[in-house]
Amino acid sequence: MATSTITILFLLFQLCTTSLILVSSARCNKDDKKALLAVKSSFHNAYHFNSWDPSTPCCDWYGVECDPATGRVTALAVFQDTNVTGPIPSSVASLPYLRELFFHHLPNLVGPIPSSISNLTHLQYLTISWTGLSGSIPSFLGSLTSLTQLDLSFNSLSGSIPPSFSQLRNLISIDISRNHLTGSLPTTLFQLLSPSSQPAYLRLSHNNLSGEIPKSYADVGFAQVDLSRNRFTGDGSVFFGRSKPVQQIDLSRNLLEFDLSKVEFPNKELVQVDLSHNLIRGRIPEGIIHVWNLQFFNMSYNRLCGEIPSGGQMGRFDEYCYQHNKCLCGTPLPPCK
């Protein structure tokens, strides 16, 4: 009887050991592991990859995430390592189930955005920021139709925003600020978003973009807009509206020219407005006093006239928020005559 019990326990031990081995192997797809080791090799085994030991499961490696059910790599993050040098390796494209790709604060990451990234058809989040990448923004990014967030900020990218971005029906956030972009805004950007989708985020500050802001943007529910320090012209009021979800708007240091008197501000969501250094005319609407959460408001260096509304949050803004206008008056500026 004792012998039978020992035999059963031994068989159970073998079964459990075999199961653990199978689970461990399932946690790291061999093809994905091969691709990751190729990435490590391309970056000359930089410090970031110290935990990438070929004898251990790749899903345990620093900056790697896997689907627990399939063991396929779904996220790769490489960041804050000056020893990561050279271009983005094409081996990244051998991770077919990748949903998140994150290259951040890698000053010696250079070259263009490789065409191999177009093979990552499941990609939802793409971040390549604070790097030495240069060249144009490739139009093939428009084929990544699962993409929801794109961050290419703080690089040395040039050229225009590809019209193909209009095909990204799931895209809700674009940040290409701090580059060397030129050209105009695609007129159909964000137009494929459904009315029930999340609010959109558009950040393009510190570039050399120009042209008019498309009127079609009035149909998009933006939460944040930062077009500051470009050369945009025309009507920036398309981002405002009483029912809009907008929280932050920065259109400063452009060449925008429209009548502020006709603008309606959302009462609940709006926190920050910077329209300084433009050619905006008219009066500051009385409705601004009903924006209860307003924390930043800068109308300086425009062509505004009339009395500054009083009440609400307006008492927190000093004269520097209104200086260098045509004929603004009232607190905190001198009294109106």
Side-chain angles (χ1 to χ4, degrees), residues 199-249:
Y201 298 77
L202 180 63
R203 305 178 186 93
L204 301 172
S205 69
H206 292 77
N207 280 288
N208 295 306
L209 294 164
S210 59
E212 293 194 0
I213 297 172
K215 291 182 173 59
S216 57
Y217 284 21
D219 299 325
V220 182
F222 287 101
Q224 292 184 13
V225 177
D226 188 353
L227 303 183
S228 61
R229 294 180 183 268
N230 282 284
R231 297 185 61 81
F232 288 117
T233 58
D235 190 354
S237 67
V238 296
F239 299 113
F240 295 93
R242 187 166 296 174
S243 61
K244 294 288 185 72
V246 66
Q247 301 166 4
Q248 299 177 352
I249 297 181

Side-chain angles (χ1 to χ4, degrees), residues 61-295:
W61 294 351
Y62 183 61
V64 176
E65 291 184 12
C66 298
D67 185 312
T70 65
R72 302 308 300 253
V73 173
T74 57
L76 172 61
V78 183
F79 51 93
Q80 292 184 328
D81 190 342
T82 57
N83 293 314
V84 172
T85 60
I88 297 173
S90 59
S91 48
V92 168
S94 298
L95 299 168
Y97 292 91
L98 208 61
R99 293 196 295 264
E100 302 178 31
L101 182 58
F102 186 84
F103 290 110
H104 175 67
H105 221 291
L106 303 168
N108 296 315
L109 186 70
V110 296
I113 298 173
S115 59
S116 55
I117 286 182
S118 63
N119 296 327
L120 301 175
T121 56
H122 294 281
L123 207 60
Q124 297 175 9
Y125 304 93
L126 176 59
T127 294
I128 308 174
S129 60
W130 293 80
T131 77
L133 252 63
S134 57
S136 60
I137 301 173
S139 60
F140 63 69
L141 292 180
S143 66
L144 301 176
T145 54
S146 296
L147 207 62
T148 60
Q149 296 184 27
L150 176 65
D151 184 351
L152 301 176
S153 61
F154 289 84
N155 294 299
S156 296
L157 299 171
S158 57
S160 59
I161 300 172
S164 63
F165 279 15
S166 300
Q167 302 168 21
L168 298 172
R169 59 181 178 273
N170 295 305
L171 190 67
I172 60 171
S173 177
I174 298 177
D175 188 349
I176 322 180
S177 54
R178 303 272 182 170
N179 279 282
H180 308 298
L181 301 183
T182 55
S184 57
L185 291 170
T187 57
T188 54
L189 200 62
F190 297 114
Q191 295 302 305
L192 296 180
L193 286 176
S194 65
S196 60
S197 64
Q198 300 179 49
Y201 298 77
L202 180 63
R203 305 178 186 93
L204 301 172
S205 69
H206 292 77
N207 280 288
N208 295 306
L209 294 164
S210 59
E212 293 194 0
I213 297 172
K215 291 182 173 59
S216 57
Y217 284 21
D219 299 325
V220 182
F222 287 101
Q224 292 184 13
V225 177
D226 188 353
L227 303 183
S228 61
R229 294 180 183 268
N230 282 284
R231 297 185 61 81
F232 288 117
T233 58
D235 190 354
S237 67
V238 296
F239 299 113
F240 295 93
R242 187 166 296 174
S243 61
K244 294 288 185 72
V246 66
Q247 301 166 4
Q248 299 177 352
I249 297 181
D250 190 346
L251 305 179
S252 63
R253 296 182 183 274
N254 280 285
L255 300 169
L256 299 172
E257 187 174 0
F258 60 95
D259 187 352
L260 188 65
S261 309
K262 301 176 181 180
V263 168
E264 292 186 337
F265 296 99
N267 295 346
K268 296 180 180 179
E269 306 292 340
L270 194 60
V271 174
Q272 174 182 324
V273 182
D274 191 345
L275 302 180
S276 63
H277 293 267
N278 278 288
L279 304 171
I280 301 170
R281 63 187 184 278
R283 303 170 63 93
I284 298 175
E286 286 290 332
I288 193 65
I289 67 173
H290 301 298
V291 183
W292 298 110
N293 293 316
L294 193 63
Q295 298 175 17

